[in-house]
Amino acid sequence: TFLAPLSENEILGRQLRSIYNIAGFYVISGDADANQSTKDGLAKVTAELLSRVLTDGAIVSVTGGSTMASLSDYLKPAVKDLLFVPARGGLGESNHFQANSIASALGEATGGMHRLLHAPDYLSKSTLESLMHEPDVKEIIQLNQQSDFVIHGIGEPFTMASRRHSPEGEVEILKRNKAVTEAFGFYFDEHGNVVHRIKTVGIQMEDLAQKKQVFAVAGGTSKQEAIETYLKIAPKNTVLITDEAVGEYLMKNR
Ligand code: F6P
């Protein structure tokens, strides 16, 4: 799908899009760490881009986080029967930032539907395997495989581990393996290798490439390296919505 550029920082966005060879690159003015209005701007532009491609009955997988949390303030009921699905189960986020809450708010904002995934934050391998056979959970897994679009955040790994109250052993693994970025509960090193993943059900990285469009939404000085690294592994159908703090850093480091 071709997405026409939005006017703000259009040239920077176009340049970065061709450097990173992804489907779209949008750069909002400012620094999301410093200004709430920039952070809201990320959600606003994402809602605008999403509205251009959504069609009746589309299934949208969503992750959690504070950037994603304000998306429902901007998405309007323009098309019918949208279904929002949490991309992954409990990642240790507080209620407001959970994918479940965001899927439900988006369903409400658009007059569409949502599903909830009830999975505990920390699961053993055997519990995870049996949970995957539960009908409700199975449905979410299937919906995430079938979904047309994905909208997700990107984070700085140690910020995320602390926000999630991750056990000390997990933080040690991240330190030892020099994690630099996180998305979907997967932690990656600077080469884009998965160094740790939170065991839960939901979307897998390999599901992303077949989606019509994947919207990655993240900005702020503290995420510069995280976003730079994520771009090494982002599938080609990714549309990145970021801010100048990140856009200019990427341009300087190219
Ligand atoms: O925990 C869900 C999640 O989408 C993470 O994968 C991501 O790193 C983080 O939230 C982003 O959160 P925020 O937008 O608050 O920085």
Side-chain angles (χ1 to χ4, degrees), residues 33 39 63-68 89-94 96-99 102 121-122 152-167 170-171 174 179-188 196-198 217-219 222-223 226-227:
D33 285 349
K39 200 157 179 178
T63 70
S66 63
T67 318
M68 294 286 300
L91 296 178
E93 292 273 24
S94 64
H96 186 56
F97 291 165
Q98 272 175 25
I102 291 163
D121 289 350
Y122 284 92
H152 70 93
I154 302 168
E156 194 284 318
F158 296 94
T159 310
M160 289 316 299
S162 128
R163 196 162 96 188
R164 290 168 173 161
H165 305 290
S166 303
E170 200 170 294
V171 179
L174 300 180
V180 285
T181 191
E182 191 281 346
F184 303 100
F186 290 74
Y187 291 89
F188 306 87
H196 181 64
R197 60 199 282 185
I198 295 180
V217 198
S222 60
K223 292 191 186 181
I227 295 170

Side-chain angles (χ1 to χ4, degrees), residues 81-102:
D81 303 328
L82 294 174
L83 174 59
F84 293 90
V85 190
R88 290 185 60 88
L91 296 178
E93 292 273 24
S94 64
N95 189 38
H96 186 56
F97 291 165
Q98 272 175 25
N100 272 337
S101 318
I102 291 163

Side-chain angles (χ1 to χ4, degrees), residues 3-6 8-9 13 17 23-28 42 45 49 52 239-243:
L3 294 171
L6 302 178
E8 213 175 18
N9 298 308
R17 173 185 169 175
F25 212 118
Y26 296 88
V27 183
I28 312 302
L42 295 173
V45 168
L49 293 169
R52 296 183 188 178
V239 175
L240 183 78
I241 298 99
T242 191
D243 59 16

Side-chain angles (χ1 to χ4, degrees), residues 184-205:
F184 303 100
F186 290 74
Y187 291 89
F188 306 87
D189 67 13
E190 65 168 326
H191 307 293
N193 300 314
V194 178
V195 295
H196 181 64
R197 60 199 282 185
I198 295 180
K199 273 199 217 77
T200 181
V201 287
I203 215 159
Q204 302 301 317
M205 291 300 292

Side-chain angles (χ1 to χ4, degrees), residues 3 17 20-26 150 152 154 184 208-209 211-217 230-231 233-241:
L3 294 171
R17 173 185 169 175
Y20 287 100
N21 190 25
I22 55 172
F25 212 118
Y26 296 88
V150 176
H152 70 93
I154 302 168
F184 303 100
L208 298 180
K211 305 297 176 196
K212 288 182 183 153
Q213 210 71 247
V214 177
F215 295 89
V217 198
Y230 185 78
L231 284 167
I233 43 170
K236 302 288 168 244
N237 54 349
T238 299
V239 175
L240 183 78
I241 298 99

